[in-house]
Amino acid sequence: MITIKFNGLQEEVGHNPSLLQLIESKEINPKAVALVLNEQVVPRSRWAQIECQDSDKIDIFSAVAGG
């Protein structure tokens, strides 16, 4: 079991899920958000390859297009 901080709230997850698995487990549409891992934006194309680690800080934001 590892502990992460997700959108400011500490929580435990049972294994080291990928970022994509974590987002999907929360029933969040991955195409509708941007993700920041430990204060660095992570491209959506890498979410499936990066596993959550103990003490990770993960924040998601609604992706907004504008001009």
Side-chain angles (χ1 to χ4, degrees):
M1 185 150 313
I2 64 169
T3 302
I4 62 170
K5 190 171 271 192
F6 187 82
N7 278 354
L9 300 175
Q10 189 168 317
E11 62 181 78
E12 292 184 344
V13 292
H15 63 294
N16 294 68
S18 70
L19 294 173
L20 181 59
Q21 289 171 326
L22 178 67
I23 295 299
E24 289 176 338
S25 74
K26 296 182 175 299
E27 298 182 7
I28 297 169
N29 180 353
K31 293 181 181 180
V33 295
L35 187 145
V36 177
L37 172 63
N38 300 323
E39 301 183 14
Q40 293 190 345
V41 175
V42 179
R44 190 174 291 116
S45 62
R46 299 203 49 230
W47 293 3
Q49 290 85 36
I50 298 175
E51 290 186 347
C52 296
Q53 301 298 317
D54 195 42
S55 301
D56 274 349
K57 179 183 174 195
I58 301 163
D59 294 294
I60 59 166
F61 301 92
S62 296
V64 178

